Amino acid sequence: MIRWSPTAPARAACPHRRIARLLTRLLPPGAQLGASTMRPWASANFVGARHLFPLTLPAGTALTDLSAQLAAFDWRLAGHIVADVAVEPQPGGLQVEILSVED
C-alpha cells in the first residue's frame, strides 16, 4: 500500500503545486484552502496522481456553482491532463479531489 505523501511530488514532473496554485485562483473570496496531499495513482493504461485539497467556503457559497466551475475549467498542465474533479462534503468543510494523468 502506498502511503499519502505531503506535497512533495513523487515524480519529477508531478503537477501538484501547479494544480494548487490554479485552484487557489478559482476559489471564491473568503475560501480557505488547507494543507494538501497527493498520492500516486495508476490504472492498466494510465499513470498519474490523486490530489486532495481540504477547503472551507464562506457562508452562502453554492457548492454546485463551485463544482461546475472546477469541472469546466481548462486545467493547463505541462505533460498532464486533469481526468476528474470532485468536490465532496467532509466534516468541517469540503474536499476537492483532482485526478491527473500523464499525457
Side-chain angles (χ1 to χ4, degrees):
M1 175 183 262
I2 298 172
R3 296 180 57 198
W4 286 95
S5 71
T7 58
R11 297 168 70 104
C14 181
H16 187 78
R17 290 184 183 105
R18 174 94 173 123
I19 291 172
R21 285 192 303 270
L22 291 171
L23 181 58
T24 301
R25 284 193 223 158
L26 292 171
L27 296 177
Q32 294 184 339
L33 202 57
S36 62
T37 57
M38 55 96 30
R39 181 172 75 172
W41 174 91
S43 70
N45 299 320
F46 301 102
V47 174
R50 290 175 59 202
H51 310 271
L52 300 176
F53 300 92
L55 176 62
T56 306
L57 291 177
T61 303
L63 178 59
T64 54
D65 291 344
L66 177 62
S67 296
Q69 181 183 9
L70 294 178
F73 183 70
D74 182 19
W75 299 88
R76 294 182 185 244
L77 306 171
H80 294 265
I81 297 168
V82 170
D84 191 28
V85 178
V87 181
E88 301 175 355
Q90 297 289 319
L94 300 170
Q95 178 172 280
V96 177
E97 180 176 346
I98 298 174
L99 175 64
S100 67
V101 294
E102 293 181 4
D103 187 16

